[in-house]
Amino acid sequence: MDGKVWLALGVILAVGLAIAAAVLLVRVFAARKLLLDSGIPLQDKALFWVAVVYTISPVDLIPDPVYLDDVGFLLLALRSLQAAAGAVRTSKDPGATV
């Protein structure tokens, strides 16, 4: 394969990862209503804001053409918030399904 094919593949991969990061950022912001829940631990709430700041920050662990670190932090924040919300729901209503 020549250089143009590799460049095209790189651009497609970068665009795909950027779209994935944008979708995850929207999902994290959709979960922001959990921040108002008093039962969610402060650690999980802080992780949300750290993930948002890290995603829009120009400082990255991996240079920005590769959004793997941004996607990873967003996934971590989203899973942490959802797990904390699930734990709060089960402690408030032991018979409820999560």
Side-chain angles (χ1 to χ4, degrees):
M1 284 197 249
D2 63 348
K4 290 182 180 180
V5 173
W6 286 111
L7 180 63
L9 287 175
V11 168
I12 290 170
L13 179 65
V15 168
L17 288 173
I19 290 170
V23 167
L24 286 173
L25 185 60
V26 168
R27 288 183 66 192
V28 169
F29 273 115
R32 74 182 184 276
K33 65 181 177 181
L34 296 175
L35 296 173
L36 300 175
D37 191 348
S38 61
I40 305 283
L42 181 61
Q43 175 185 1
D44 296 312
K45 293 177 182 182
L47 183 60
F48 168 82
W49 291 112
V50 169
V52 170
V53 169
Y54 182 79
T55 300
I56 61 175
S57 168
V59 178
D60 282 336
L61 294 175
I62 301 174
D64 251 347
V66 180
Y67 291 100
L68 294 178
D69 56 334
D70 298 332
V71 171
F73 279 119
L74 287 173
L75 278 173
L76 178 67
L78 188 60
R79 292 185 96 197
S80 176
L81 275 174
Q82 289 178 343
V88 168
R89 274 190 231 125
T90 57
S91 68
K92 285 183 180 177
D93 187 14
T97 58
V98 178

